[in-house]
Amino acid sequence: MVAVTAGRGGHPAGGFAGVEPMAGVVSLVAMIAATLLLVDAWFDVTTASTGPDQMTAIAMAVCLEVPIALGCAVLAGCTLRRHLP
């Protein structure tokens, strides 16, 4: 389990326990972005009216939002893995 703590030297941005402060910030922001992108894609697809609007929402989700969210998740995982002790 990873705990959120203050960063080294009282760094105001904080970080995860045992992780460089900026690595914790980068991974946290990347995971928040991934979550928001996936929720936005879900919301757009489920609330779009049938027809061209729904097809546009599905295309945007499949071609843009989900791949970018996966990229953010990979970035967060790689950043944490590289800087964990």
Side-chain angles (χ1 to χ4, degrees):
M1 179 175 213
V2 178
V4 177
T5 62
R8 282 191 197 151
H11 193 275
F16 293 107
V19 181
E20 295 288 330
M22 287 308 293
V25 171
V26 168
S27 61
L28 182 62
V29 170
M31 286 309 296
I32 290 171
T35 302
L36 289 174
L37 282 165
L38 291 174
V39 169
D40 181 55
W42 168 77
F43 188 76
D44 290 345
V45 170
T46 57
T47 60
S49 59
T50 57
D53 289 339
Q54 190 172 35
M55 295 309 291
T56 301
I58 291 169
M60 293 276 291
V62 170
C63 295
L64 292 174
E65 292 172 323
V66 172
I68 293 171
L70 290 174
C72 288
V74 168
L75 172 69
C78 290
T79 303
L80 279 179
R81 192 170 335 138
R82 189 173 334 129
H83 293 315
L84 282 175

